[in-house]
Amino acid sequence: MNPFDILKNAGQIKQQSEKLQQELAQIRAEGSSGGKMVTITMNGKFEMISIKLDPICVDNRDVPMLEDLIVAAHKNAMDNVQEQIKAKTSSLLGGLDLGALGL
């Protein structure tokens, strides 16, 4: 690819990038753990939108288990957001594998 072609298309790339940022903000993904005892909803900016706890897991005698479930659900939600971002950005990047670049 000619680097000058990229410069010529800078305005278009900026518009696509702004559109992508708006789309990422609209992404919603859930992650759960413990058989859905803990469910977290996250947006495409990796911000936690909500957390739902099954009443059965709220036992003040086993707080460490609940803490572990929350961490696991958060990781699961992050993984799901990353999958959606990868799907959305692959068309913008023309199939460029960001994983090969460490991203």
Side-chain angles (χ1 to χ4, degrees):
M1 177 179 278
N2 184 345
F4 294 109
D5 289 339
I6 293 174
L7 292 175
K8 288 179 189 176
N9 296 325
Q12 182 181 7
I13 291 170
K14 182 180 178 190
Q15 286 178 335
Q16 289 176 335
S17 176
E18 289 170 355
K19 181 181 175 190
L20 178 61
Q21 289 295 320
Q22 292 172 353
E23 289 178 7
L24 291 179
Q26 299 303 314
I27 288 176
R28 296 291 184 269
E30 285 189 353
S32 64
S33 64
K36 294 207 173 208
M37 286 195 293
V38 175
T39 302
I40 289 175
T41 303
M42 187 176 286
N43 68 17
K45 295 181 178 182
F46 296 99
E47 298 167 334
M48 190 183 307
I49 303 299
S50 70
I51 183 168
K52 294 179 185 169
L53 305 174
D54 185 320
I56 197 167
C57 71
V58 183
D59 181 352
N60 62 358
R61 295 170 294 174
D62 200 2
V63 171
M65 178 202 65
L66 180 57
E67 292 168 343
D68 290 343
L69 289 172
I70 290 170
V71 169
H74 186 267
K75 178 169 181 349
N76 185 239
M78 282 182 47
D79 291 344
N80 291 337
V81 167
Q82 287 174 334
E83 286 178 25
Q84 289 186 42
I85 289 172
K86 185 177 178 180
K88 283 200 178 285
T89 58
S90 66
S91 62
L92 177 65
L93 299 173
L96 178 64
D97 182 12
L98 294 179
L101 301 173
L103 303 174

